[in-house]
Coordinates of all heavy atoms in Angstrom, one line a residue:
M23 N 46.0 14.0 3.3 CA 47.1 13.4 4.1 C 48.4 14.0 3.5 O 48.6 14.1 2.3 CB 47.1 11.9 4.0 CG 48.3 11.3 4.6 SD 48.2 9.5 4.5 CE 49.4 9.2 3.2
S24 N 49.3 14.5 4.4 CA 50.5 15.0 4.0 C 51.6 13.9 4.1 O 52.0 13.7 5.2 CB 50.9 16.2 4.8 OG 52.2 16.6 4.5
A25 N 51.9 13.3 3.0 CA 52.9 12.2 3.1 C 54.3 12.7 3.3 O 55.2 12.0 3.7 CB 52.8 11.4 1.8
G26 N 54.5 14.0 3.1 CA 55.9 14.6 3.2 C 56.5 14.4 4.5 O 57.7 14.2 4.7
S27 N 55.7 14.4 5.6 CA 56.3 14.3 6.9 C 56.3 12.8 7.4 O 56.7 12.6 8.5 CB 55.4 15.1 7.9 OG 54.1 14.7 7.9
L28 N 55.9 11.9 6.6 CA 55.8 10.5 7.0 C 57.1 9.7 6.5 O 57.6 10.1 5.4 CB 54.6 9.8 6.5 CG 53.3 10.4 6.9 CD1 52.1 9.6 6.2 CD2 53.1 10.3 8.4
T29 N 57.5 8.7 7.2 CA 58.6 7.9 6.8 C 58.0 6.8 5.8 O 56.8 6.6 5.8 CB 59.2 7.2 8.0 OG1 58.3 6.2 8.5 CG2 59.7 8.1 9.0
L30 N 58.9 6.2 5.1 CA 58.4 5.2 4.1 C 57.7 4.0 4.9 O 56.7 3.5 4.4 CB 59.6 4.6 3.3 CG 59.3 3.5 2.3 CD1 58.3 4.1 1.3 CD2 60.6 3.1 1.6
V31 N 58.2 3.7 6.0 CA 57.5 2.6 6.8 C 56.1 3.0 7.2 O 55.2 2.2 7.1 CB 58.4 2.2 8.1 CG1 57.6 1.3 9.0 CG2 59.7 1.6 7.6
E32 N 56.0 4.2 7.6 CA 54.6 4.7 8.0 C 53.7 4.7 6.8 O 52.5 4.4 6.9 CB 54.7 6.1 8.6 CG 55.4 6.1 10.0 CD 55.7 7.5 10.4 OE1 56.0 8.4 9.6 OE2 55.7 7.8 11.7
V33 N 54.2 5.1 5.7 CA 53.4 5.1 4.5 C 53.0 3.7 4.0 O 51.9 3.5 3.7 CB 54.1 5.9 3.3 CG1 53.3 5.8 2.0 CG2 54.3 7.3 3.7
L34 N 53.9 2.8 4.1 CA 53.6 1.4 3.8 C 52.6 0.8 4.8 O 51.7 0.1 4.3 CB 54.9 0.6 3.8 CG 55.9 0.9 2.6 CD1 57.2 0.1 2.8 CD2 55.2 0.6 1.3
K35 N 52.7 1.2 6.0 CA 51.7 0.7 7.0 C 50.4 1.3 6.7 O 49.3 0.6 6.7 CB 52.1 1.1 8.4 CG 53.2 0.3 9.0 CD 53.5 0.7 10.4 CE 54.7 0.0 11.0 NZ 55.0 0.4 12.4
R36 N 50.3 2.6 6.3 CA 49.0 3.2 6.0 C 48.5 2.6 4.7 O 47.3 2.4 4.6 CB 49.2 4.7 5.8 CG 48.0 5.4 5.3 CD 46.9 5.3 6.3 NE 45.7 5.9 5.8 CZ 44.5 5.5 5.9 NH1 44.2 4.4 6.7 NH2 43.4 6.1 5.4
R37 N 49.4 2.3 3.7 CA 48.9 1.6 2.5 C 48.3 0.3 2.8 O 47.2 -0.1 2.3 CB 50.1 1.4 1.5 CG 49.7 0.9 0.2 CD 50.8 0.6 -0.7 NE 50.4 0.4 -2.1 CZ 49.7 -0.7 -2.5 NH1 49.5 -1.7 -1.6 NH2 49.4 -0.9 -3.7
L38 N 48.9 -0.5 3.7 CA 48.3 -1.8 4.1 C 46.9 -1.6 4.7 O 46.0 -2.3 4.4 CB 49.3 -2.5 5.0 CG 48.7 -3.9 5.6 CD1 48.4 -4.8 4.5 CD2 49.7 -4.4 6.5
Q39 N 46.8 -0.6 5.6 CA 45.6 -0.3 6.2 C 44.5 0.0 5.2 O 43.4 -0.4 5.3 CB 45.7 0.8 7.2 CG 44.5 1.1 8.0 CD 44.7 2.3 8.9 OE1 45.7 3.0 9.0 NE2 43.6 2.6 9.7
V40 N 44.8 0.9 4.2 CA 43.9 1.3 3.2 C 43.5 0.1 2.4 O 42.3 -0.1 2.1 CB 44.5 2.4 2.3 CG1 43.6 2.6 1.1 CG2 44.6 3.7 3.1
V41 N 44.4 -0.8 2.0 CA 44.1 -2.0 1.3 C 43.1 -2.9 2.1 O 42.1 -3.4 1.5 CB 45.3 -2.8 0.9 CG1 45.0 -4.2 0.3 CG2 46.2 -2.0 -0.2
Q42 N 43.3 -3.0 3.4 CA 42.4 -3.8 4.2 C 41.1 -3.2 4.3 O 40.0 -3.9 4.3 CB 43.0 -4.0 5.6 CG 44.2 -4.9 5.6 CD 45.0 -4.8 6.9 OE1 44.9 -3.9 7.7 NE2 45.7 -5.9 7.2
E43 N 41.0 -1.8 4.3 CA 39.7 -1.1 4.4 C 39.0 -1.3 3.1 O 37.7 -1.5 3.1 CB 39.9 0.3 4.7 CG 40.4 0.6 6.1 CD 40.8 2.1 6.4 OE1 40.5 2.9 5.5 OE2 41.4 2.3 7.4
I44 N 39.7 -1.3 2.0 CA 39.1 -1.5 0.7 C 38.5 -2.9 0.6 O 37.3 -3.2 0.2 CB 40.1 -1.3 -0.5 CG1 40.4 0.2 -0.6 CG2 39.5 -1.9 -1.8 CD1 41.5 0.5 -1.6
S45 N 39.3 -3.9 1.1 CA 38.8 -5.3 1.1 C 37.5 -5.4 1.9 O 36.6 -6.1 1.5 CB 39.9 -6.2 1.6 OG 39.5 -7.5 1.7
S46 N 37.5 -4.8 3.1 CA 36.4 -4.8 4.0 C 35.1 -4.2 3.3 O 34.0 -4.8 3.3 CB 36.7 -4.1 5.3 OG 35.6 -4.1 6.1
A47 N 35.3 -3.1 2.6 CA 34.2 -2.4 2.0 C 33.7 -3.3 0.8 O 32.5 -3.4 0.6 CB 34.6 -1.0 1.5
Q48 N 34.6 -3.9 0.1 CA 34.2 -4.8 -1.0 C 33.4 -6.0 -0.5 O 32.5 -6.5 -1.1 CB 35.4 -5.2 -1.8 CG 36.0 -4.1 -2.7 CD 37.3 -4.4 -3.3 OE1 38.0 -5.3 -2.9 NE2 37.6 -3.7 -4.4
S49 N 33.8 -6.5 0.6 CA 33.1 -7.7 1.2 C 31.7 -7.3 1.6 O 30.8 -8.0 1.4 CB 33.9 -8.2 2.5 OG 35.1 -8.8 2.1
R50 N 31.6 -6.1 2.3 CA 30.3 -5.6 2.6 C 29.4 -5.4 1.4 O 28.2 -5.7 1.4 CB 30.4 -4.3 3.4 CG 30.9 -4.5 4.8 CD 30.7 -3.2 5.7 NE 31.2 -2.0 5.1 CZ 32.4 -1.6 5.1 NH1 33.4 -2.3 5.6 NH2 32.7 -0.4 4.5
H51 N 30.0 -4.9 0.3 CA 29.3 -4.7 -0.9 C 28.7 -6.0 -1.5 O 27.6 -6.1 -1.8 CB 30.2 -4.1 -2.0 CG 29.5 -3.9 -3.3 ND1 28.9 -2.7 -3.7 CD2 29.4 -4.7 -4.4 CE1 28.4 -2.9 -4.9 NE2 28.7 -4.0 -5.3
L52 N 29.6 -7.1 -1.4 CA 29.2 -8.4 -1.9 C 28.1 -9.0 -1.0 O 27.1 -9.6 -1.5 CB 30.3 -9.4 -2.0 CG 31.4 -9.1 -3.1 CD1 32.6 -10.0 -2.9 CD2 30.7 -9.2 -4.4
L53 N 28.2 -8.8 0.3 CA 27.1 -9.3 1.2 C 25.8 -8.6 0.9 O 24.7 -9.2 0.8 CB 27.5 -9.0 2.6 CG 26.4 -9.3 3.7 CD1 26.0 -10.8 3.6 CD2 26.9 -8.9 5.0
N54 N 25.9 -7.3 0.7 CA 24.6 -6.5 0.4 C 24.1 -6.9 -1.0 O 22.9 -6.9 -1.2 CB 24.9 -5.0 0.5 CG 24.9 -4.6 1.9 OD1 24.0 -4.8 2.7 ND2 26.0 -4.0 2.3
R55 N 25.0 -7.2 -1.9 CA 24.5 -7.7 -3.2 C 23.7 -9.0 -3.1 O 22.7 -9.2 -3.7 CB 25.7 -7.9 -4.2 CG 25.2 -8.4 -5.6 CD 26.3 -8.4 -6.5 NE 26.6 -7.0 -6.9 CZ 27.2 -6.7 -8.0 NH1 27.7 -7.6 -8.8 NH2 27.4 -5.4 -8.2
Q56 N 24.2 -9.9 -2.2 CA 23.5 -11.2 -2.0 C 22.2 -10.9 -1.3 O 21.2 -11.5 -1.7 CB 24.4 -12.1 -1.1 CG 25.6 -12.6 -1.8 CD 26.5 -13.5 -0.9 OE1 26.5 -13.2 0.3 NE2 27.2 -14.4 -1.5
L57 N 22.2 -10.0 -0.3 CA 20.9 -9.7 0.4 C 19.9 -9.1 -0.6 O 18.7 -9.4 -0.6 CB 21.2 -8.7 1.5 CG 22.0 -9.3 2.7 CD1 22.4 -8.2 3.7 CD2 21.3 -10.4 3.4
G58 N 20.4 -8.2 -1.5 CA 19.5 -7.6 -2.5 C 19.0 -8.6 -3.5 O 17.8 -8.6 -3.8
G59 N 19.9 -9.5 -3.9 CA 19.4 -10.6 -4.8 C 18.4 -11.5 -4.1 O 17.4 -11.9 -4.8
G60 N 18.5 -11.8 -2.8 CA 17.5 -12.5 -2.1 C 16.2 -11.8 -2.0 O 15.1 -12.4 -2.2
A61 N 16.3 -10.5 -1.8 CA 15.1 -9.7 -1.7 C 14.4 -9.6 -3.1 O 13.2 -9.7 -3.2 CB 15.4 -8.3 -1.2
E62 N 15.2 -9.5 -4.1 CA 14.6 -9.5 -5.5 C 13.9 -10.8 -5.8 O 12.8 -10.8 -6.3 CB 15.7 -9.2 -6.5 CG 16.2 -7.8 -6.6 CD 17.3 -7.6 -7.6 OE1 17.9 -8.6 -8.1 OE2 17.5 -6.4 -7.9
F63 N 14.5 -11.9 -5.4 CA 13.9 -13.2 -5.6 C 12.6 -13.3 -4.8 O 11.6 -13.8 -5.4 CB 14.9 -14.3 -5.2 CG 14.3 -15.7 -5.4 CD1 14.3 -16.3 -6.7 CD2 13.9 -16.4 -4.3 CE1 13.7 -17.5 -6.8 CE2 13.3 -17.7 -4.5 CZ 13.3 -18.2 -5.7
E64 N 12.7 -12.9 -3.6 CA 11.4 -12.9 -2.8 C 10.3 -12.1 -3.3 O 9.2 -12.5 -3.4 CB 11.8 -12.5 -1.3 CG 10.6 -12.7 -0.4 CD 11.0 -12.3 1.1 OE1 12.2 -12.2 1.4 OE2 10.1 -12.2 1.9
I65 N 10.7 -10.9 -3.9 CA 9.7 -10.0 -4.5 C 9.0 -10.7 -5.7 O 7.8 -10.7 -5.8 CB 10.3 -8.7 -4.9 CG1 10.7 -7.8 -3.7 CG2 9.4 -7.9 -5.9 CD1 11.6 -6.6 -4.0
Q66 N 9.8 -11.4 -6.5 CA 9.3 -12.1 -7.7 C 8.4 -13.2 -7.2 O 7.3 -13.4 -7.8 CB 10.4 -12.6 -8.5 CG 11.2 -11.6 -9.2 CD 12.4 -12.1 -9.9 OE1 12.8 -13.3 -9.8 NE2 13.1 -11.3 -10.7
Q67 N 8.8 -13.9 -6.2 CA 7.9 -15.0 -5.7 C 6.6 -14.5 -5.1 O 5.5 -15.1 -5.4 CB 8.7 -15.8 -4.6 CG 9.9 -16.5 -5.1 CD 9.6 -17.6 -6.1 OE1 9.8 -17.4 -7.3 NE2 9.0 -18.7 -5.7
I68 N 6.7 -13.4 -4.4 CA 5.4 -12.9 -3.8 C 4.5 -12.3 -4.9 O 3.3 -12.6 -4.9 CB 5.8 -11.8 -2.8 CG1 6.5 -12.4 -1.6 CG2 4.5 -11.0 -2.3 CD1 7.1 -11.4 -0.6
E69 N 5.1 -11.7 -5.9 CA 4.3 -11.1 -7.0 C 3.7 -12.3 -7.8 O 2.5 -12.1 -8.2 CB 5.2 -10.2 -7.9 CG 5.5 -8.9 -7.2 CD 6.5 -8.1 -8.0 OE1 7.2 -8.6 -8.9 OE2 6.6 -6.8 -7.8
S70 N 4.4 -13.4 -7.9 CA 3.8 -14.5 -8.6 C 2.6 -15.1 -7.8 O 1.6 -15.5 -8.4 CB 4.8 -15.6 -8.8 OG 5.8 -15.2 -9.7
E71 N 2.8 -15.2 -6.5 CA 1.8 -15.7 -5.7 C 0.5 -14.8 -5.7 O -0.6 -15.3 -5.7 CB 2.3 -15.9 -4.2 CG 1.3 -16.6 -3.3 CD 1.9 -17.0 -2.0 OE1 3.2 -17.0 -1.8 OE2 1.1 -17.3 -1.1
I72 N 0.8 -13.5 -5.7 CA -0.3 -12.5 -5.7 C -1.1 -12.7 -7.0 O -2.3 -12.6 -7.1 CB 0.2 -11.1 -5.5 CG1 0.6 -10.9 -4.1 CG2 -0.9 -10.1 -5.9 CD1 1.3 -9.5 -3.8
A73 N -0.3 -12.8 -8.1 CA -1.0 -13.0 -9.4 C -1.8 -14.3 -9.5 O -2.8 -14.3 -10.1 CB 0.1 -13.0 -10.5
A74 N -1.3 -15.3 -8.8 CA -2.0 -16.6 -8.8 C -3.2 -16.7 -7.9 O -4.2 -17.3 -8.2 CB -1.1 -17.7 -8.5
T75 N -3.1 -16.0 -6.7 CA -4.1 -16.2 -5.7 C -4.8 -14.9 -5.3 O -5.8 -15.0 -4.5 CB -3.5 -16.8 -4.4 OG1 -2.5 -15.9 -3.8 CG2 -2.8 -18.1 -4.7
G76 N -4.3 -13.8 -5.7 CA -4.8 -12.5 -5.3 C -4.1 -12.0 -4.1 O -3.4 -12.7 -3.4
V77 N -4.3 -10.7 -3.8 CA -3.5 -10.1 -2.8 C -4.2 -10.3 -1.4 O -5.4 -10.3 -1.3 CB -3.3 -8.6 -3.1 CG1 -4.6 -7.8 -3.0 CG2 -2.3 -8.0 -2.1
S78 N -3.4 -10.6 -0.4 CA -3.9 -10.6 0.9 C -3.0 -9.6 1.7 O -2.0 -9.2 1.3 CB -3.7 -12.0 1.5 OG -2.4 -12.4 1.7
E79 N -3.5 -9.3 2.9 CA -2.7 -8.4 3.8 C -1.4 -9.0 4.1 O -0.4 -8.3 4.1 CB -3.5 -8.1 5.1 CG -2.8 -7.1 6.0 CD -2.5 -5.7 5.3 OE1 -3.3 -5.2 4.5 OE2 -1.4 -5.2 5.5
A80 N -1.3 -10.3 4.3 CA 0.0 -10.9 4.7 C 0.9 -10.8 3.5 O 2.1 -10.5 3.6 CB -0.2 -12.4 5.1
L81 N 0.5 -11.1 2.3 CA 1.3 -11.0 1.1 C 1.7 -9.6 0.8 O 2.9 -9.3 0.5 CB 0.6 -11.6 -0.1 CG 0.5 -13.1 -0.2 CD1 -0.4 -13.5 -1.4 CD2 1.9 -13.7 -0.3
A82 N 0.8 -8.6 1.0 CA 1.1 -7.2 0.8 C 2.2 -6.8 1.8 O 3.2 -6.1 1.4 CB -0.1 -6.4 0.9
A83 N 2.1 -7.2 3.0 CA 3.1 -6.8 4.0 C 4.4 -7.5 3.7 O 5.5 -6.8 3.8 CB 2.6 -7.3 5.4
S84 N 4.4 -8.7 3.3 CA 5.7 -9.4 2.9 C 6.3 -8.7 1.7 O 7.6 -8.5 1.7 CB 5.4 -10.9 2.5 OG 5.0 -11.6 3.7
L85 N 5.5 -8.3 0.8 CA 6.1 -7.6 -0.4 C 6.7 -6.2 0.0 O 7.8 -5.9 -0.5 CB 4.9 -7.4 -1.4 CG 5.3 -6.7 -2.8 CD1 6.4 -7.6 -3.5 CD2 4.1 -6.6 -3.7
R86 N 6.0 -5.5 0.9 CA 6.6 -4.2 1.3 C 7.9 -4.4 2.1 O 8.9 -3.7 1.8 CB 5.6 -3.5 2.3 CG 4.4 -2.8 1.6 CD 3.6 -1.9 2.6 NE 3.1 -2.7 3.7 CZ 1.9 -3.3 3.7 NH1 1.1 -3.3 2.6 NH2 1.5 -4.0 4.8
D87 N 7.9 -5.5 2.9 CA 9.2 -5.7 3.7 C 10.3 -6.1 2.7 O 11.4 -5.7 2.9 CB 8.9 -6.9 4.7 CG 8.0 -6.5 5.8 OD1 7.8 -5.3 6.0 OD2 7.5 -7.4 6.5
A88 N 10.0 -6.9 1.7 CA 11.1 -7.3 0.8 C 11.6 -6.1 0.0 O 12.8 -6.0 -0.3 CB 10.5 -8.4 -0.2
R89 N 10.7 -5.2 -0.4 CA 11.1 -4.0 -1.1 C 11.9 -3.1 -0.3 O 12.9 -2.5 -0.8 CB 9.8 -3.3 -1.7 CG 9.2 -4.0 -2.9 CD 8.0 -3.3 -3.4 NE 7.5 -3.9 -4.6 CZ 6.3 -3.9 -5.0 NH1 5.4 -3.1 -4.4 NH2 5.9 -4.5 -6.1
V90 N 11.6 -3.0 1.0 CA 12.4 -2.2 1.9 C 13.8 -2.8 2.0 O 14.8 -2.1 2.0 CB 11.7 -2.1 3.3 CG1 12.7 -1.6 4.3 CG2 10.5 -1.2 3.2
R91 N 13.9 -4.1 2.2 CA 15.2 -4.8 2.3 C 16.0 -4.6 1.0 O 17.2 -4.4 1.1 CB 15.0 -6.3 2.5 CG 14.6 -6.6 4.0 CD 14.8 -8.0 4.4 NE 14.3 -9.0 3.4 CZ 13.0 -9.4 3.3 NH1 12.1 -8.9 4.1 NH2 12.6 -10.3 2.4
L92 N 15.3 -4.6 -0.2 CA 16.0 -4.4 -1.4 C 16.6 -2.9 -1.5 O 17.7 -2.7 -1.8 CB 15.1 -4.6 -2.6 CG 15.7 -4.4 -4.0 CD1 17.0 -5.2 -4.2 CD2 14.6 -4.6 -5.1
Q93 N 15.8 -2.0 -1.1 CA 16.2 -0.6 -1.1 C 17.4 -0.4 -0.1 O 18.4 0.3 -0.4 CB 15.1 0.4 -0.6 CG 14.0 0.5 -1.7 CD 12.8 1.4 -1.2 OE1 12.6 1.5 0.0 NE2 12.0 1.8 -2.2
E94 N 17.3 -1.0 1.1 CA 18.4 -0.9 2.0 C 19.7 -1.5 1.5 O 20.8 -1.0 1.7 CB 18.0 -1.6 3.4 CG 16.9 -0.8 4.1 CD 16.4 -1.5 5.3 OE1 16.6 -2.7 5.5 OE2 15.7 -0.9 6.1
A95 N 19.6 -2.7 0.9 CA 20.7 -3.3 0.3 C 21.4 -2.5 -0.8 O 22.6 -2.3 -0.9 CB 20.4 -4.7 -0.2
N96 N 20.5 -1.9 -1.7 CA 21.0 -1.0 -2.7 C 21.7 0.2 -2.2 O 22.8 0.6 -2.6 CB 19.9 -0.6 -3.7 CG 19.5 -1.7 -4.6 OD1 20.2 -2.7 -4.8 ND2 18.2 -1.7 -5.1
A97 N 21.1 0.8 -1.1 CA 21.7 2.0 -0.5 C 23.1 1.6 0.2 O 24.0 2.4 0.1 CB 20.8 2.6 0.5
A98 N 23.1 0.5 0.8 CA 24.4 0.0 1.4 C 25.4 -0.3 0.4 O 26.6 0.1 0.6 CB 24.1 -1.2 2.3
M99 N 25.1 -0.8 -0.8 CA 26.0 -1.0 -1.9 C 26.6 0.3 -2.4 O 27.8 0.4 -2.6 CB 25.4 -1.8 -3.0 CG 25.3 -3.3 -2.7 SD 24.8 -4.3 -4.2 CE 23.1 -3.8 -4.4
E100 N 25.7 1.3 -2.5 CA 26.2 2.6 -3.0 C 27.1 3.2 -2.0 O 28.1 3.8 -2.4 CB 24.9 3.5 -3.2 CG 24.1 3.2 -4.4 CD 23.0 4.2 -4.6 OE1 23.1 5.4 -4.2 OE2 21.9 3.7 -5.1
A101 N 26.8 3.1 -0.7 CA 27.7 3.6 0.3 C 29.1 2.9 0.3 O 30.1 3.6 0.4 CB 27.1 3.4 1.7
C102 N 29.1 1.6 0.0 CA 30.3 0.9 -0.1 C 31.1 1.3 -1.3 O 32.4 1.5 -1.3 CB 30.1 -0.6 -0.2 SG 29.5 -1.4 1.4
D103 N 30.4 1.6 -2.4 CA 31.1 2.0 -3.6 C 31.7 3.4 -3.4 O 32.9 3.6 -3.8 CB 30.1 2.1 -4.8 CG 29.6 0.8 -5.3 OD1 30.3 -0.2 -5.0 OD2 28.6 0.7 -6.0
T104 N 31.0 4.3 -2.7 CA 31.5 5.6 -2.4 C 32.8 5.5 -1.5 O 33.8 6.2 -1.7 CB 30.5 6.5 -1.7 OG1 29.4 6.6 -2.6 CG2 31.0 7.9 -1.4
E105 N 32.7 4.7 -0.5 CA 33.8 4.4 0.4 C 35.0 3.9 -0.4 O 36.2 4.3 -0.2 CB 33.4 3.5 1.5 CG 34.5 3.2 2.5 CD 34.1 2.3 3.6 OE1 33.0 1.8 3.6 OE2 35.0 2.0 4.5
C106 N 34.8 2.9 -1.3 CA 35.9 2.3 -2.0 C 36.5 3.4 -2.9 O 37.8 3.4 -3.1 CB 35.4 1.2 -2.9 SG 35.2 -0.4 -2.0
E107 N 35.7 4.2 -3.6 CA 36.3 5.3 -4.4 C 37.2 6.2 -3.6 O 38.4 6.5 -4.1 CB 35.2 6.1 -5.1 CG 34.4 5.4 -6.1 CD 33.3 6.2 -6.7 OE1 33.2 7.4 -6.4 OE2 32.4 5.6 -7.3
A108 N 36.8 6.6 -2.4 CA 37.7 7.5 -1.6 C 38.9 6.7 -1.2 O 40.0 7.3 -1.2 CB 36.9 7.9 -0.4
L109 N 38.8 5.5 -0.8 CA 40.0 4.7 -0.4 C 40.9 4.4 -1.5 O 42.1 4.5 -1.3 CB 39.5 3.4 0.3 CG 38.8 3.5 1.6 CD1 38.1 2.2 2.0 CD2 39.8 3.9 2.7
E110 N 40.4 4.2 -2.7 CA 41.2 4.0 -3.9 C 42.0 5.3 -4.2 O 43.2 5.2 -4.6 CB 40.4 3.5 -5.0 CG 40.0 2.0 -4.8 CD 38.9 1.6 -5.8 OE1 38.5 2.4 -6.7 OE2 38.6 0.4 -5.8
S111 N 41.4 6.4 -4.0 CA 42.1 7.7 -4.2 C 43.3 7.8 -3.2 O 44.4 8.2 -3.6 CB 41.2 8.9 -4.0 OG 40.2 8.9 -5.1
Q112 N 43.0 7.4 -2.0 CA 44.1 7.5 -1.0 C 45.2 6.5 -1.3 O 46.4 6.8 -1.2 CB 43.5 7.1 0.4 CG 42.7 8.1 1.1 CD 42.2 7.6 2.4 OE1 42.9 6.9 3.1 NE2 41.0 8.0 2.8
L113 N 44.8 5.3 -1.8 CA 45.8 4.3 -2.2 C 46.7 4.9 -3.4 O 47.9 4.7 -3.4 CB 45.1 3.0 -2.6 CG 46.0 1.8 -2.9 CD1 46.8 1.5 -1.7 CD2 45.1 0.7 -3.4
E114 N 46.0 5.5 -4.4 CA 46.8 6.1 -5.5 C 47.8 7.2 -5.0 O 48.9 7.2 -5.4 CB 45.8 6.7 -6.5 CG 45.1 5.6 -7.3 CD 44.0 6.2 -8.2 OE1 43.9 7.5 -8.2 OE2 43.2 5.4 -8.8
E115 N 47.3 8.0 -4.0 CA 48.2 9.0 -3.5 C 49.4 8.4 -2.8 O 50.5 8.8 -2.9 CB 47.4 9.9 -2.5 CG 48.2 11.0 -1.9 CD 47.4 11.8 -0.9 OE1 46.2 11.8 -0.9 OE2 48.1 12.4 0.0
L116 N 49.1 7.4 -2.0 CA 50.2 6.7 -1.3 C 51.2 6.0 -2.3 O 52.4 6.1 -2.1 CB 49.6 5.6 -0.3 CG 48.9 6.2 0.9 CD1 48.1 5.1 1.6 CD2 49.8 6.8 1.9
D117 N 50.6 5.4 -3.3 CA 51.5 4.8 -4.3 C 52.4 5.8 -5.0 O 53.5 5.5 -5.3 CB 50.7 4.0 -5.3 CG 50.1 2.7 -4.7 OD1 50.6 2.2 -3.7 OD2 49.2 2.1 -5.3
R118 N 51.8 7.0 -5.3 CA 52.6 8.0 -5.9 C 53.7 8.5 -5.0 O 54.8 8.7 -5.4 CB 51.7 9.2 -6.3 CG 50.9 9.0 -7.6 CD 50.3 10.3 -8.1 NE 49.3 10.9 -7.1 CZ 48.0 10.6 -7.0 NH1 47.5 9.7 -7.8 NH2 47.3 11.2 -6.1
W119 N 53.4 8.6 -3.7 CA 54.4 9.0 -2.7 C 55.5 8.0 -2.6 O 56.7 8.3 -2.6 CB 53.7 9.2 -1.4 CG 54.7 9.9 -0.4 CD1 54.8 11.2 -0.2 CD2 55.6 9.3 0.5 NE1 55.8 11.5 0.8 CE2 56.2 10.3 1.2 CE3 55.9 8.0 0.7 CZ2 57.2 10.0 2.1 CZ3 56.9 7.7 1.7 CH2 57.5 8.7 2.4
I120 N 55.1 6.7 -2.6 CA 56.1 5.6 -2.5 C 57.0 5.6 -3.8 O 58.2 5.5 -3.7 CB 55.4 4.3 -2.3 CG1 54.7 4.2 -1.0 CG2 56.4 3.1 -2.5 CD1 53.8 3.0 -0.8
A121 N 56.4 5.8 -4.9 CA 57.2 5.8 -6.2 C 58.1 7.0 -6.2 O 59.2 6.9 -6.7 CB 56.2 5.8 -7.4
A122 N 57.7 8.1 -5.7 CA 58.5 9.3 -5.7 C 59.7 9.2 -4.8 O 60.7 9.8 -5.0 CB 57.7 10.6 -5.4
G123 N 59.5 8.4 -3.7 CA 60.5 8.2 -2.7 C 61.6 7.3 -3.0 O 62.6 7.1 -2.3
R124 N 61.4 6.6 -4.1 CA 62.4 5.5 -4.5 C 63.6 6.1 -5.2 O 63.8 7.0 -5.8 CB 61.8 4.5 -5.4 CG 60.9 3.6 -4.6 CD 60.3 2.5 -5.4 NE 59.5 1.7 -4.6 CZ 59.1 0.5 -4.9 NH1 59.4 0.0 -6.0 NH2 58.3 -0.1 -4.1

């Protein structure tokens, strides 16, 4: 982004937008963390049941599904982290531009 051609008001509006995008990405990260935690708990419960009763096709399928959900949640958290890093870089650039303009 070339801040040189932007007015201070435009930069401040863009800064607010970036902060909102960061907040949204962080919220998605937390949601995925909760989903991942639920999947981890479910995996532990299923593994305990398998250890106690033996494996059945239904338990094996449930275990596979929970592991897929955990992988998806972890991948989504990584995507949110990457997005946040890029947005935080934009925010730093905007803050430098604002500071230089004072």
Side-chain angles (χ1 to χ4, degrees):
M23 175 177 105
S24 172
S27 61
L28 299 177
T29 67
L30 181 58
V31 171
E32 291 170 328
V33 172
L34 291 172
K35 284 181 183 179
R36 177 62 186 142
R37 186 185 191 287
L38 175 60
Q39 181 183 7
V40 169
V41 168
Q42 290 170 335
E43 290 173 12
I44 289 170
S45 177
S46 176
Q48 289 172 337
S49 293
R50 288 191 313 275
H51 178 92
L52 289 174
L53 173 62
N54 285 303
R55 179 173 285 199
Q56 289 175 333
L57 293 172
E62 286 177 344
F63 179 77
E64 187 175 345
I65 289 168
Q66 291 173 355
Q67 294 300 103
I68 294 167
E69 288 174 342
S70 294
E71 190 172 343
I72 288 172
T75 64
V77 68
S78 69
E79 184 55 39
L81 286 174
S84 294
L85 185 58
R86 283 190 302 272
D87 291 344
R89 286 181 175 155
V90 166
R91 285 194 313 277
L92 177 59
Q93 288 176 342
E94 289 171 349
N96 287 337
M99 283 189 291
E100 286 181 34
C102 289
D103 289 344
T104 300
E105 181 182 1
C106 278
E107 288 175 17
L109 289 166
E110 287 168 357
S111 292
Q112 288 181 31
L113 188 61
E114 289 172 4
E115 179 183 338
L116 290 166
D117 286 344
R118 283 191 298 274
W119 191 89
I120 293 167
R124 289 184 178 196

